[in-house]
Amino acid sequence: MGLYEERLARYEAAIALEPVDKVPLISGGTASNAAFMGVKLADYLREPELNCTVNIEATQRMGNFDGVQSRTMCPYGLSLMWLSQVLVPGIDLPDNELWQIREQPLISQDDYDDILENGFEQWYQRFLVEKLGDPQSKIKIFSDYAPTAARRFYEAGLPCIKESNVLSPFEMFCGGRSLMEFLTEDLMEIPEKVDEVFAVTHAYNMKQYTQLFESDHKPYGVWVGGWRGTPGMINREWFEHYSWKYIRELVDLCVNYQVIPILHLDSCWDLGLSYFRELPAKKCVMALDGKTDIFKAKEAVGDRMCIMGDVSAEMLAFGKPSDVYDYVTKLLNNIGPTGYIVCSGCDIPFNARLENVQMMSKAVDDFARR
């Protein structure tokens, strides 16, 4: 068994809640990789081969990592997820300033009528070009490079556990309408219309994901994102009606096609942890960002679901190496070693200290040698 296969088997054992020789350690690095390698973000985002090289070499520099969540990074993909504009270094921002989401109400309630009258697809394709500057065309150079990136990561012995994203209508329209307009004007004033738009959008998305999962490019794993449609952001009735039911269907689709759903749960999900017991056992990953109580998550779903995370951005950027080492060791003892994957909470931040990230690896390796 080669290094790639060994690391992938370790990851899969963690998902299945089986014993592992070493708790898997997965990188959440993107912009931080460029910082660790001394490469300007504008250059990092301009050329996929450099992007891929930086990601491989930075991951190796960080320590004994078992895999990554991205082979390359193109921030324009965020526009497809949140229907929002992305400001990019070297174009909209200084060369080494982190990319940003410019959230504003680009979608109006008139757009809802257009979607219901003419269908989501025609509206979506026009919206991407007219309001977001055609992010699909900007992503193409990275999409074309993807097979080469996959080969290079395989040769480096680094599995990529997340190769795509599947989206709920809540997250898409909350971004495109912007938070306040979506919550106070749409969900409160025209809930029936929102229901209809969600149904049309979700049907389109599910068709696209099914085609992807049945193609030669079926992803190994995908993010099933939850950022704002959380029980900490909206009331329980709205959460169940507008968010959770779509998350469940997305997870079921993934599991049916043997694609690993990584529930990328940003923000606080403490009030909704019991819902995740409804999902298929030993098939999913709950990835937490530090805002959800990971110890409560272990109590709630640890007998059914692998947990990943949650070394916080604050700790990696501003903590001492000893803080990181002690916290990761605490996680290994209390969340692991079975059914657990060590990772940063969401991305490794752009201003992370390399020695802090390396301490994650040291803690995992030392724990395995006990």
Side-chain angles (χ1 to χ4, degrees):
M1 180 184 295
L3 182 60
Y4 183 98
E5 289 76 18
E6 174 188 321
R7 287 170 165 170
L8 190 62
R10 190 175 288 137
Y11 172 72
E12 292 176 342
I15 297 173
L17 309 188
E18 296 173 352
V20 291
D21 63 323
K22 167 184 169 293
V23 174
L25 172 62
I26 298 296
S27 171
T30 52
S32 58
N33 292 339
F36 295 153
M37 300 305 298
V39 175
K40 288 182 179 179
L41 285 178
D43 296 332
Y44 172 72
L45 299 175
R46 189 175 293 124
E47 216 292 309
E49 184 171 5
L50 174 63
N51 194 295
C52 181
T53 299
V54 165
N55 290 339
I56 291 172
E57 293 182 357
T59 304
Q60 293 169 333
R61 179 174 291 187
M62 290 188 301
N64 186 22
F65 278 71
D66 292 290
V68 300
Q69 295 186 74
S70 300
R71 297 189 187 99
T72 59
M73 173 60 192
C74 179
Y76 290 111
L78 301 174
S79 289
L80 305 182
M81 298 167 63
W82 298 321
L83 303 183
S84 301
Q85 292 176 335
V86 179
L87 305 182
V88 175
I91 299 174
D92 313 293
L93 302 169
D95 282 356
N96 212 36
E97 187 171 323
L98 186 62
W99 54 83
Q100 302 171 20
I101 297 293
R102 175 187 282 169
E103 183 170 323
Q104 53 189 323
L106 297 178
I107 298 173
S108 70
Q109 290 185 353
D110 290 340
D111 288 306
Y112 290 161
D113 294 327
D114 188 356
I115 291 168
L116 294 178
E117 182 176 350
N118 301 302
F120 177 78
E121 182 175 11
Q122 64 83 30
W123 173 86
Y124 180 59
Q125 296 301 329
R126 190 177 71 248
F127 177 84
L128 291 179
V129 173
E130 295 179 357
K131 296 296 181 69
L132 299 181
D134 196 9
Q136 290 173 316
S137 67
K138 298 171 183 176
I139 293 168
K140 187 177 185 301
I141 186 175
F142 285 86
S143 301
D144 291 345
Y145 187 77
T148 301
R151 174 185 56 78
R152 294 186 63 194
F153 269 80
Y154 179 83
E155 292 170 352
L158 289 170
C160 182
I161 66 169
K162 189 274 294 185
E163 297 179 301
S164 190
N165 307 289
V166 298
L167 307 170
S168 73
F170 190 101
E171 303 297 344
M172 297 175 73
F173 285 100
C174 188
R177 277 287 282 148
S178 82
L179 180 64
M180 291 306 297
E181 282 78 1
F182 184 67
L183 296 183
T184 62
E185 297 180 12
D186 299 352
L187 295 191
M188 287 185 177
E189 297 179 5
I190 53 168
E192 295 85 2
K193 182 171 290 187
V194 172
D195 269 340
E196 294 180 62
V197 170
F198 274 23
V200 171
T201 303
H202 187 60
Y204 170 83
N205 285 342
M206 291 288 278
K207 181 179 178 181
Q208 302 308 304
Y209 303 146
T210 299
Q211 291 175 351
L212 174 62
F213 294 170
E214 291 179 348
S215 74
D216 293 336
H217 304 290
K218 184 177 88 167
Y220 175 79
V222 298
W223 273 357
V224 183
W227 298 277
R228 289 179 169 173
T230 77
M233 174 71 73
I234 54 179
N235 64 48
R236 183 172 294 271
E237 181 182 356
W238 279 7
F239 171 70
E240 292 178 352
H241 186 77
Y242 293 111
S243 181
W244 179 248
K245 73 176 182 179
Y246 296 105
I247 291 173
R248 279 207 58 177
E249 289 189 23
L250 291 168
V251 168
D252 287 341
L253 181 70
C254 291
V255 171
N256 288 341
Y257 280 94
Q258 298 181 311
V259 173
I260 296 171
I262 301 170
L263 293 145
H264 188 87
L265 305 180
D266 287 342
S267 69
C268 183
W269 286 77
D270 288 352
L271 297 177
L273 291 172
S274 61
Y275 286 90
F276 292 89
R277 296 194 64 82
E278 301 173 10
L279 303 181
K282 303 180 182 181
K283 301 290 185 181
C284 309
V285 177
M286 176 183 281
L288 303 177
D289 73 346
K291 300 300 184 289
T292 300
D293 188 324
I294 195 170
F295 302 100
K296 288 182 179 178
K298 177 68 174 182
E299 293 176 4
V301 300
D303 61 332
R304 294 180 57 84
M305 185 178 297
C306 177
I307 297 172
M308 183 167 80
D310 71 341
V311 186
S312 71
E314 294 87 349
M315 184 178 293
L316 292 174
F318 304 116
K320 300 176 182 178
S322 59
D323 296 334
V324 177
Y325 185 92
D326 291 345
Y327 184 65
V328 172
T329 301
K330 180 180 179 180
L331 293 174
L332 291 165
N333 280 311
N334 292 278
I335 309 300
T338 301
Y340 176 54
I341 298 166
V342 177
C343 187
S344 57
C346 195
D347 284 356
I348 297 172
F350 182 44
N351 59 342
R353 298 170 61 189
L354 177 59
E355 57 267 34
N356 284 351
V357 179
Q358 291 170 332
M359 201 56 66
M360 294 171 63
S361 179
K362 178 172 170 51
V364 172
D365 288 344
D366 287 352
F367 187 86
R369 284 192 286 265
R370 292 180 182 179

